[in-house]
Amino acid sequence: MTQTSQATAAAKGSPTKGPAGGKGPRQRLSESASSIVMILIGALFAVPLLWVLFASFNTEASLAVEWPDQWSLGNFAAIWNAETTFRPILNSLILCGGATVVTMTAAVLFAYPMSRYRFTGKRPLLLTIIFATGLPITAVMIPVYSLFVQVNLIDSMIGAILFLGASSLPYAIFLTKGFMDAVPVEIEESAWAEGAGVYRALWSVVIPLMRSGLSVATIFTFVMMWGNFFVPFMLLLSPDQLPAAVTLYTFSSQYGQIAYGQLAAFSLFYSLPVIVLYIFLGRNLGLGFAAAGGVKG
């Protein structure tokens, strides 16, 4: 009976495998089709990046992706000044960096009781946060602009930082709570038994164990803010306070034509802070929960 079952199982598995345990034609065809699709998707992402790279070194660049006839640093020299590049990027760092600090600080403090305690209205509050993550920011900008006019916060970097941080808070809370739920409560209770208070346990125990999750939430929060054009465009009016996301738009429409080479060179500088953030916080990805296994056994 056992031999019959083994023979039946081998017969069922035979169409998918070739001789000597090799891959069958269906499996090879599936893998080939998957590889082709992945190559096409990769090419779609690579073409714009190649255009930025080639156009930045081509003083006569156009929309075509082409190898420069003569490699030149003229585009970088044209934007190498405070008005075009340095000041907008500094404004972006102040705006997005400050808003990220506000968002992540509030997200950790809000996610902690949501993760550790039970209270009335917790589920409706979580549902409200989930709903707010999908609310388009364009839907609230008109009343926000009217409110900022009334409280005299238009063209205020502090006001823009606070609103940008508040608008990113629901998604940051949603991510932070999920990572905080993965930190075992038993480790925190051990800290309480040693005399640590709630904030001490949060700072010294919970946050170090969720470094990986905080890095992910911080990267996502900063990147979404870094590419945000609409909020600073509506709330900041002075040219000396505009971030790079808005300068990128005004730069591409100067003099009635687009200097594609200078635009590409500016885009490279514009991407550097995000790349640096990925490199700096990427070291924490995959770390932080090693001590979680200590509560088992």
Side-chain angles (χ1 to χ4, degrees):
M1 189 70 179
T2 305
Q3 295 178 352
T4 305
S5 301
Q6 293 176 351
T8 304
K12 291 181 179 179
S14 59
T16 60
K17 299 205 176 208
K23 297 179 180 179
R26 290 185 179 179
Q27 189 173 357
R28 289 196 298 268
L29 180 61
S30 176
E31 291 182 356
S32 300
S34 300
S35 300
I36 293 173
V37 171
M38 292 179 65
I39 291 173
L40 291 176
I41 294 175
L44 292 176
F45 280 96
V47 168
L49 298 179
L50 289 176
W51 178 86
V52 172
L53 180 62
F54 293 159
S56 61
F57 292 96
N58 186 3
T59 55
E60 298 180 359
S62 62
L63 285 176
V65 180
E66 54 186 4
W67 188 269
D69 295 333
Q70 183 176 0
W71 292 76
S72 172
L73 296 176
N75 294 323
F76 294 95
I79 66 169
W80 194 261
N81 57 75
E83 182 179 357
T84 304
T85 303
F86 303 142
R87 186 170 60 195
I89 291 182
L90 178 61
N91 291 337
S92 291
L93 291 174
I94 295 174
L95 177 63
C96 301
T100 300
V101 171
V102 171
T103 298
M104 293 309 303
T105 301
V108 170
L109 295 177
F110 191 94
Y112 182 76
M114 297 290 290
S115 174
R116 292 297 190 254
Y117 302 114
R118 295 181 180 179
F119 53 88
T120 305
K122 178 179 178 179
R123 181 175 175 80
L125 186 57
L126 283 174
L127 294 177
T128 302
I129 293 173
I130 294 174
F131 170 76
T133 58
L135 186 67
I137 198 169
T138 53
V140 298
M141 279 310 300
I142 298 302
V144 166
Y145 181 83
S146 176
L147 175 64
F148 269 51
V149 170
Q150 295 178 17
V151 298
N152 197 26
L153 282 178
I154 286 294
D155 202 26
S156 169
M157 183 66 75
I158 298 297
I161 288 174
L162 293 177
F163 176 72
L164 195 60
S167 63
S168 302
L169 191 56
Y171 190 68
I173 293 173
F174 181 75
L175 286 178
T176 304
K177 181 187 177 300
F179 289 114
M180 194 172 290
D181 289 342
V183 178
V185 182
E186 291 82 359
I187 300 179
E188 193 176 353
E189 291 175 345
S190 300
W192 294 342
E194 295 294 331
V198 174
Y199 292 105
R200 178 68 176 178
L202 174 63
W203 178 259
S204 301
V205 177
V206 179
I207 290 180
L209 288 177
M210 55 179 296
R211 285 182 301 168
S212 177
L214 285 179
S215 298
V216 172
T218 301
I219 289 173
F220 271 95
T221 301
F222 183 83
V223 169
M224 287 191 299
M225 293 178 182
W226 191 257
N228 193 310
F229 163 81
F230 200 58
V231 171
F233 180 75
M234 292 286 293
L235 301 182
L236 298 176
L237 306 178
S238 301
D240 58 346
Q241 294 198 84
L242 294 178
V246 180
T247 305
L248 193 66
Y249 165 77
T250 57
F251 174 82
S252 64
S253 61
Q254 283 182 345
Y255 313 118
Q257 59 182 358
I258 301 176
Y260 292 107
Q262 297 178 21
L263 179 60
F266 182 84
S267 299
L268 291 179
F269 281 107
Y270 181 55
S271 304
L272 283 179
V274 176
I275 296 174
V276 171
L277 182 67
Y278 269 104
I279 295 174
F280 180 74
L281 294 182
R283 297 175 298 177
N284 293 327
L285 300 182
L287 301 176
F289 296 103
V295 300
K296 298 180 180 180

